[in-house]
Amino acid sequence: MRVKALETLLTEKGLVDPAALDAIIDIYQNQVGPQNGALVVAKAWADPVFKARLLADATEVVAELGFYGRQGEHITVVENTLERHNVIVCTLCSCYPWPLLGIPPGWYKSDAYRARVVREPRAVLAEFGVVLPEGQAVRVWDSTAEMRYLVLPMRPEGTEGMSVEELAALVTRDAMVGTGLATVPQ
Amino acid sequence: MTICTPDRPEPPPFSEPWHAQAFALTVHLSERGNYTWPEWAERFSAELTEHRGHQGPLDGGADYWAAWLGALEGLLNERGLAEPAVVETLKEAWEAAYLATPHGAPVHLDMGQKAG
């Protein structure tokens, strides 16, 4: 009822267009989600030129795919390698690359994740089932209202010759946050 | 303190309709130039910190959206866009309208009630 009250008041004042609110809800409830980011990752795995451009200027490259707008104004893609695994967080609130991943899951917004992944990333990753080799460093990227990150996971073994669509199916939301790895095909 | 069980099925992005409404309202008002997104993020971050002080760690569910709405109400009040007393009156009018509406029928706010 508190939201309804605000909406009524602001609509009466001419500050809010109720149809625009419905459109926003529809986008984030039904249209935008991790499938967008998965397509970007799959294309980067399949096409070295695309990947190089993506790592150099992600905002521009994902916009070409139609993934732009709110919370996508400045996006940096960070690549996982054998030397370094990347994880994203927002210690301030819950900044997240909406055009590529949609609305963040509850755990991303929890105090436990936001505080602990910075302090003890390996312990947090282990709780997600990700145990990294000793020699692989972990870098935690703190998103802000100005800059958001997407992790480019490592391409799994045994995926040679797969199409972009098949590759995209291996890319989970957690893999693009860094709390998971890409799925290894059975 | 375990953060998650990764195998749990993915919940919808908004578990309650009002979460989605609060989200959309915040985005829309920002896009209409009432505040910038960094201004919102700063306000929301302060609210999250305050909530944590009062209620302990947030789990990122309903408590997160309660903090979100509190931040929005605070910001709109600061900007002179939504005075708490008026919002409270409207909230009571909506509650009365819901209680007075037969189950299953659409709820409408009788604008004549809100001054009362």
Short mmCIF file of all heavy atoms in Angstrom, two decimals, chain A residues 112-145:
data_model
loop_
_atom_site.label_atom_id
_atom_site.label_comp_id
_atom_site.label_asym_id
_atom_site.label_seq_id
_atom_site.Cartn_x
_atom_site.Cartn_y
_atom_site.Cartn_z
N ALA A 112 25.55 -10.56 3.59
CA ALA A 112 26.56 -11.61 3.74
C ALA A 112 27.46 -11.65 2.52
O ALA A 112 28.69 -11.65 2.63
CB ALA A 112 25.87 -12.96 3.95
N TYR A 113 26.87 -11.67 1.33
CA TYR A 113 27.69 -11.72 0.12
C TYR A 113 28.49 -10.43 -0.05
O TYR A 113 29.69 -10.46 -0.31
CB TYR A 113 26.79 -11.96 -1.10
CG TYR A 113 27.57 -11.99 -2.40
CD1 TYR A 113 28.35 -13.09 -2.73
CD2 TYR A 113 27.56 -10.90 -3.27
CE1 TYR A 113 29.09 -13.11 -3.90
CE2 TYR A 113 28.30 -10.91 -4.44
CZ TYR A 113 29.07 -12.02 -4.76
OH TYR A 113 29.81 -12.04 -5.91
N ARG A 114 27.80 -9.30 0.10
CA ARG A 114 28.44 -8.01 -0.20
C ARG A 114 29.64 -7.77 0.70
O ARG A 114 30.66 -7.22 0.27
CB ARG A 114 27.42 -6.89 -0.07
CG ARG A 114 26.38 -6.95 -1.20
CD ARG A 114 25.17 -6.07 -0.92
NE ARG A 114 25.55 -4.74 -0.51
CZ ARG A 114 25.00 -4.09 0.50
NH1 ARG A 114 24.03 -4.63 1.20
NH2 ARG A 114 25.41 -2.88 0.80
N ALA A 115 29.54 -8.18 1.94
CA ALA A 115 30.66 -7.94 2.85
C ALA A 115 31.72 -9.03 2.72
O ALA A 115 32.92 -8.74 2.68
CB ALA A 115 30.14 -7.89 4.29
N ARG A 116 31.28 -10.28 2.62
CA ARG A 116 32.24 -11.37 2.74
C ARG A 116 33.04 -11.64 1.48
O ARG A 116 34.19 -12.07 1.56
CB ARG A 116 31.52 -12.65 3.19
CG ARG A 116 31.07 -12.59 4.65
CD ARG A 116 30.51 -13.91 5.08
NE ARG A 116 31.40 -15.01 4.73
CZ ARG A 116 31.00 -16.20 4.26
NH1 ARG A 116 29.73 -16.45 4.10
NH2 ARG A 116 31.89 -17.12 3.97
N VAL A 117 32.46 -11.39 0.30
CA VAL A 117 33.19 -11.76 -0.91
C VAL A 117 34.45 -10.91 -1.07
O VAL A 117 35.43 -11.35 -1.68
CB VAL A 117 32.27 -11.68 -2.16
CG1 VAL A 117 32.08 -10.24 -2.61
CG2 VAL A 117 32.82 -12.54 -3.29
N VAL A 118 34.44 -9.73 -0.47
CA VAL A 118 35.62 -8.88 -0.53
C VAL A 118 36.68 -9.39 0.46
O VAL A 118 37.87 -9.45 0.15
CB VAL A 118 35.24 -7.41 -0.17
CG1 VAL A 118 36.48 -6.53 -0.16
CG2 VAL A 118 34.20 -6.89 -1.13
N ARG A 119 36.23 -9.80 1.62
CA ARG A 119 37.13 -10.19 2.71
C ARG A 119 37.70 -11.58 2.49
O ARG A 119 38.88 -11.83 2.73
CB ARG A 119 36.34 -10.18 4.02
CG ARG A 119 36.93 -9.28 5.06
CD ARG A 119 36.11 -9.20 6.33
NE ARG A 119 35.21 -10.31 6.60
CZ ARG A 119 33.92 -10.16 6.85
NH1 ARG A 119 33.38 -8.96 6.81
NH2 ARG A 119 33.16 -11.20 7.13
N GLU A 120 36.84 -12.50 2.11
CA GLU A 120 37.27 -13.90 2.00
C GLU A 120 36.65 -14.53 0.76
O GLU A 120 35.80 -15.43 0.85
CB GLU A 120 36.88 -14.68 3.26
CG GLU A 120 35.50 -14.35 3.79
CD GLU A 120 35.08 -15.22 4.98
OE1 GLU A 120 35.88 -16.08 5.39
OE2 GLU A 120 33.96 -15.04 5.46
N PRO A 121 37.10 -14.05 -0.43
CA PRO A 121 36.46 -14.51 -1.66
C PRO A 121 36.54 -16.02 -1.86
O PRO A 121 35.57 -16.63 -2.32
CB PRO A 121 37.23 -13.76 -2.77
CG PRO A 121 38.48 -13.26 -2.14
CD PRO A 121 38.16 -13.06 -0.70
N ARG A 122 37.65 -16.64 -1.50
CA ARG A 122 37.77 -18.09 -1.74
C ARG A 122 36.77 -18.88 -0.89
O ARG A 122 36.21 -19.87 -1.36
CB ARG A 122 39.19 -18.57 -1.45
CG ARG A 122 40.15 -18.21 -2.57
CD ARG A 122 41.57 -18.63 -2.25
NE ARG A 122 42.46 -18.06 -3.24
CZ ARG A 122 42.75 -18.63 -4.41
NH1 ARG A 122 42.23 -19.80 -4.73
NH2 ARG A 122 43.56 -18.03 -5.26
N ALA A 123 36.55 -18.41 0.33
CA ALA A 123 35.59 -19.11 1.19
C ALA A 123 34.18 -18.97 0.63
O ALA A 123 33.40 -19.93 0.61
CB ALA A 123 35.66 -18.53 2.61
N VAL A 124 33.85 -17.77 0.15
CA VAL A 124 32.52 -17.54 -0.43
C VAL A 124 32.35 -18.38 -1.69
O VAL A 124 31.32 -19.04 -1.88
CB VAL A 124 32.30 -16.04 -0.71
CG1 VAL A 124 31.04 -15.82 -1.52
CG2 VAL A 124 32.24 -15.26 0.60
N LEU A 125 33.37 -18.38 -2.55
CA LEU A 125 33.27 -19.17 -3.79
C LEU A 125 33.09 -20.64 -3.48
O LEU A 125 32.33 -21.35 -4.15
CB LEU A 125 34.53 -18.95 -4.65
CG LEU A 125 34.65 -17.56 -5.28
CD1 LEU A 125 35.95 -17.44 -6.06
CD2 LEU A 125 33.46 -17.26 -6.18
N ALA A 126 33.76 -21.11 -2.43
CA ALA A 126 33.64 -22.53 -2.06
C ALA A 126 32.19 -22.85 -1.68
O ALA A 126 31.68 -23.94 -1.97
CB ALA A 126 34.58 -22.85 -0.91
N GLU A 127 31.50 -21.88 -1.04
CA GLU A 127 30.09 -22.10 -0.68
C GLU A 127 29.22 -22.21 -1.93
O GLU A 127 28.15 -22.82 -1.90
CB GLU A 127 29.59 -20.97 0.22
CG GLU A 127 30.15 -21.06 1.63
CD GLU A 127 29.88 -19.82 2.46
OE1 GLU A 127 28.90 -19.12 2.17
OE2 GLU A 127 30.68 -19.57 3.38
N PHE A 128 29.66 -21.60 -3.01
CA PHE A 128 28.96 -21.73 -4.29
C PHE A 128 29.42 -22.98 -5.05
O PHE A 128 29.02 -23.20 -6.19
CB PHE A 128 29.21 -20.49 -5.16
CG PHE A 128 28.37 -19.30 -4.81
CD1 PHE A 128 28.77 -18.42 -3.83
CD2 PHE A 128 27.16 -19.06 -5.46
CE1 PHE A 128 27.99 -17.32 -3.50
CE2 PHE A 128 26.38 -17.97 -5.14
CZ PHE A 128 26.79 -17.09 -4.16
N GLY A 129 30.33 -23.73 -4.46
CA GLY A 129 30.81 -24.94 -5.11
C GLY A 129 31.98 -24.71 -6.05
O GLY A 129 32.32 -25.57 -6.85
N VAL A 130 32.58 -23.53 -5.96
CA VAL A 130 33.70 -23.21 -6.84
C VAL A 130 34.99 -23.25 -6.01
O VAL A 130 35.19 -22.42 -5.13
CB VAL A 130 33.54 -21.81 -7.48
CG1 VAL A 130 34.77 -21.46 -8.31
CG2 VAL A 130 32.28 -21.76 -8.32
N VAL A 131 35.81 -24.24 -6.29
CA VAL A 131 37.10 -24.34 -5.59
C VAL A 131 38.19 -24.11 -6.63
O VAL A 131 38.30 -24.86 -7.60
CB VAL A 131 37.26 -25.70 -4.90
CG1 VAL A 131 38.61 -25.79 -4.21
CG2 VAL A 131 36.13 -25.92 -3.90
N LEU A 132 38.94 -23.04 -6.45
CA LEU A 132 39.94 -22.65 -7.44
C LEU A 132 41.30 -23.22 -7.09
O LEU A 132 41.61 -23.40 -5.91
CB LEU A 132 40.04 -21.12 -7.48
CG LEU A 132 38.75 -20.38 -7.82
CD1 LEU A 132 38.96 -18.88 -7.65
CD2 LEU A 132 38.28 -20.69 -9.23
N PRO A 133 42.11 -23.50 -8.11
CA PRO A 133 43.48 -23.96 -7.83
C PRO A 133 44.26 -22.90 -7.05
O PRO A 133 43.99 -21.70 -7.21
CB PRO A 133 44.09 -24.14 -9.22
CG PRO A 133 42.98 -24.05 -10.20
CD PRO A 133 41.84 -23.36 -9.55
N GLU A 134 45.18 -23.35 -6.22
CA GLU A 134 45.99 -22.44 -5.39
C GLU A 134 46.63 -21.32 -6.21
O GLU A 134 46.68 -20.17 -5.80
CB GLU A 134 47.11 -23.24 -4.70
CG GLU A 134 46.64 -24.05 -3.51
CD GLU A 134 46.35 -23.15 -2.31
OE1 GLU A 134 47.11 -22.20 -2.10
OE2 GLU A 134 45.35 -23.42 -1.60
N GLY A 135 47.12 -21.68 -7.38
CA GLY A 135 47.88 -20.74 -8.18
C GLY A 135 47.03 -19.70 -8.91
O GLY A 135 47.57 -18.77 -9.51
N GLN A 136 45.70 -19.86 -8.87
CA GLN A 136 44.84 -18.92 -9.59
C GLN A 136 44.43 -17.80 -8.63
O GLN A 136 43.80 -18.05 -7.59
CB GLN A 136 43.60 -19.65 -10.12
CG GLN A 136 42.81 -18.85 -11.13
CD GLN A 136 41.60 -19.64 -11.66
OE1 GLN A 136 41.14 -20.59 -11.04
NE2 GLN A 136 41.09 -19.22 -12.81
N ALA A 137 44.79 -16.58 -8.98
CA ALA A 137 44.45 -15.44 -8.14
C ALA A 137 42.95 -15.14 -8.26
O ALA A 137 42.31 -15.54 -9.23
CB ALA A 137 45.26 -14.22 -8.56
N VAL A 138 42.41 -14.45 -7.26
CA VAL A 138 41.01 -14.01 -7.33
C VAL A 138 40.98 -12.50 -7.27
O VAL A 138 41.59 -11.90 -6.38
CB VAL A 138 40.17 -14.57 -6.15
CG1 VAL A 138 38.72 -14.09 -6.28
CG2 VAL A 138 40.24 -16.07 -6.10
N ARG A 139 40.29 -11.91 -8.21
CA ARG A 139 40.14 -10.45 -8.19
C ARG A 139 38.66 -10.12 -8.04
O ARG A 139 37.82 -10.63 -8.77
CB ARG A 139 40.70 -9.87 -9.49
CG ARG A 139 40.35 -8.41 -9.71
CD ARG A 139 41.56 -7.49 -9.58
NE ARG A 139 41.12 -6.10 -9.52
CZ ARG A 139 41.54 -5.14 -10.33
NH1 ARG A 139 42.42 -5.41 -11.27
NH2 ARG A 139 41.10 -3.90 -10.19
N VAL A 140 38.35 -9.29 -7.05
CA VAL A 140 36.97 -8.89 -6.81
C VAL A 140 36.77 -7.48 -7.35
O VAL A 140 37.53 -6.57 -7.03
CB VAL A 140 36.65 -8.92 -5.29
CG1 VAL A 140 35.19 -8.51 -5.05
CG2 VAL A 140 36.91 -10.30 -4.72
N TRP A 141 35.75 -7.34 -8.19
CA TRP A 141 35.46 -6.03 -8.81
C TRP A 141 34.23 -5.43 -8.14
O TRP A 141 33.17 -6.06 -8.12
CB TRP A 141 35.20 -6.21 -10.30
CG TRP A 141 36.38 -6.78 -11.03
CD1 TRP A 141 36.72 -8.09 -11.13
CD2 TRP A 141 37.38 -6.05 -11.76
NE1 TRP A 141 37.88 -8.23 -11.87
CE2 TRP A 141 38.30 -7.00 -12.27
CE3 TRP A 141 37.60 -4.69 -12.03
CZ2 TRP A 141 39.42 -6.63 -13.04
CZ3 TRP A 141 38.69 -4.33 -12.80
CH2 TRP A 141 39.58 -5.29 -13.29
N ASP A 142 34.37 -4.23 -7.63
CA ASP A 142 33.27 -3.57 -6.92
C ASP A 142 32.52 -2.65 -7.88
O ASP A 142 33.03 -1.62 -8.30
CB ASP A 142 33.83 -2.78 -5.72
CG ASP A 142 32.74 -2.33 -4.78
OD1 ASP A 142 31.56 -2.65 -5.03
OD2 ASP A 142 33.07 -1.67 -3.78
N SER A 143 31.30 -3.05 -8.21
CA SER A 143 30.48 -2.26 -9.14
C SER A 143 30.02 -0.96 -8.46
O SER A 143 29.90 -0.90 -7.24
CB SER A 143 29.23 -3.04 -9.53
OG SER A 143 29.56 -4.35 -9.88
N THR A 144 29.76 0.02 -9.28
CA THR A 144 29.24 1.28 -8.77
C THR A 144 28.10 1.72 -9.68
O THR A 144 27.82 1.07 -10.68
CB THR A 144 30.30 2.40 -8.78
OG1 THR A 144 30.61 2.68 -10.16
CG2 THR A 144 31.56 1.99 -8.05
N ALA A 145 27.48 2.84 -9.31
CA ALA A 145 26.41 3.37 -10.16
C ALA A 145 26.97 3.81 -11.51
O ALA A 145 26.23 3.97 -12.47
CB ALA A 145 25.70 4.52 -9.45
#
